[in-house]
Amino acid sequence: MVRQAQVAGDFAAILRRGDPDRGAILLMVSSRGSHIACLERVLGASGDYGWQRTGPADSASSTEIREFLAKRARFDEDSWAVELDIADAERFIAETISAG
C-alpha cells in the first residue's frame, strides 16, 4: 500500500513497525492533511481477513490520533500503523473495505 500510494503521487509512511508475522494492521487515512478514517484489518467469523473502520472519527485532531495509536500499541505490541494521505480517500476506503 505504501508503494502504491507513492507511485500515485500520494504520501505514505509507516508510523509503527510491528512484528513481520503477526499483529494488527492499522491504516490512518487522510486527505490533504485532514483525518478521514482509521481502518483495521480484522479476522472475520469465516476465517477471512477484511477491513473495518475503527478508532477516531473523521476530522479527529492529531492529539486524538496519537492517543489512539499509543493505546493500541500498549494493547498490541506487534501492531503496525501506516499513514496514507491520498487524494481520493473516500474511494480508497470504499474499495479497500469491499475488497477485504
Side-chain angles (χ1 to χ4, degrees), residues 18-46:
D19 187 278
D21 299 319
R22 61 180 174 259
I25 301 173
L26 299 168
L27 298 179
M28 307 307 290
V29 183
S30 61
S31 184
R32 296 187 178 130
S34 178
H35 176 73
I36 304 295
C38 178
L39 303 177
E40 181 176 8
R41 188 169 178 241
V42 295
L43 182 62
S46 65

Side-chain angles (χ1 to χ4, degrees), residues 10-98:
D10 295 319
F11 174 81
I14 297 175
L15 300 175
R16 176 176 167 66
R17 289 187 186 276
D19 187 278
D21 299 319
R22 61 180 174 259
I25 301 173
L26 299 168
L27 298 179
M28 307 307 290
V29 183
S30 61
S31 184
R32 296 187 178 130
S34 178
H35 176 73
I36 304 295
C38 178
L39 303 177
E40 181 176 8
R41 188 169 178 241
V42 295
L43 182 62
S46 65
D48 295 329
Y49 281 96
W51 293 94
Q52 71 179 19
R53 285 181 183 252
T54 188
D58 62 340
S59 300
S61 70
S62 58
T63 301
E64 291 173 294
I65 294 167
R66 273 194 312 274
E67 289 172 356
F68 170 73
L69 290 174
K71 182 178 177 181
R72 291 303 301 264
R74 285 190 305 272
F75 175 73
D76 181 359
E77 294 177 356
D78 299 325
S79 65
W80 288 75
V82 179
E83 179 182 10
L84 300 173
D85 193 327
I86 52 183
D88 197 353
E90 290 298 336
R91 187 177 118 224
F92 170 81
I93 292 166
E95 289 175 354
T96 301
I97 290 174
S98 68

